[in-house]
Amino acid sequence: GFMEQMGRVDPWRISRPTGKEFSFYSHVHKVYSRIDFFIMSRDFLEGVRDTEYSAITISDHAPHWVDLLVCKESYQRPQWRLEVGLLAEERVCERVGKCMQDYLQVNDTGEVSAAGSGRL
């Protein structure tokens, strides 16, 4: 499936392959569902000590937690690299420029200004 292709796992499901717990209660439909997940890289799975859903009390969602030990030495983030060929495509540059303008417009508080005045 998709999660396997992306190297992602649900640690609760892996630790409880036949478990049945719920994270959400619909008052309208009067049903329980498991719709809240921790999805993580398979690389972190060995660091999962425990994962659990708590009782649904304050809201219609149950608190869900994962006890995770992350050791910096054991995990190396893959190096991200921009596909430079994208910069040669006019539509990509226009889209990035539009997204940056939208971001600056929404986040313009007067405290921060855009660096530079060049065009993408």
Side-chain angles (χ1 to χ4, degrees):
F2 176 75
M3 287 189 25
E4 289 172 8
Q5 289 175 353
M6 300 303 294
R8 301 297 181 250
V9 294
D10 172 2
W12 185 89
R13 178 53 62 206
I14 287 177
S15 67
R16 295 165 179 82
T18 59
K20 200 171 199 179
E21 289 189 54
F22 305 101
S23 66
F24 174 75
Y25 178 70
S26 169
H27 295 281
V28 173
H29 299 100
K30 299 191 182 346
V31 295
Y32 288 92
S33 307
R34 184 171 168 263
I35 61 172
D36 300 291
F37 304 89
F38 274 103
I39 304 298
M40 63 177 53
S41 170
R42 182 173 290 286
D43 298 338
F44 289 120
L45 195 55
E46 68 185 40
V48 174
R49 296 190 218 179
D50 196 11
T51 178
E52 184 177 302
Y53 287 98
S54 299
I56 298 173
T57 55
I58 297 174
S59 79
D60 50 3
H61 289 267
H64 180 55
W65 57 267
V66 172
D67 184 1
L68 178 66
L69 175 66
V70 179
C71 180
K72 288 183 181 180
E73 290 79 31
S74 68
Y75 177 73
Q76 269 192 323
R77 181 191 298 180
Q79 186 175 4
W80 180 84
R81 177 169 249 143
L82 172 66
E83 174 62 51
V84 293
L86 291 173
L87 298 176
E89 295 185 32
E90 182 73 22
R91 66 179 178 80
V92 172
C93 291
E94 288 172 1
R95 177 72 178 140
V96 170
K98 172 78 170 99
C99 288
M100 289 178 69
Q101 287 173 349
D102 291 348
Y103 175 83
L104 291 172
Q105 183 178 13
V106 168
N107 294 284
D108 184 12
T109 62
E111 298 176 15
V112 178
S113 63
S117 59
R119 179 184 177 276
L120 277 179

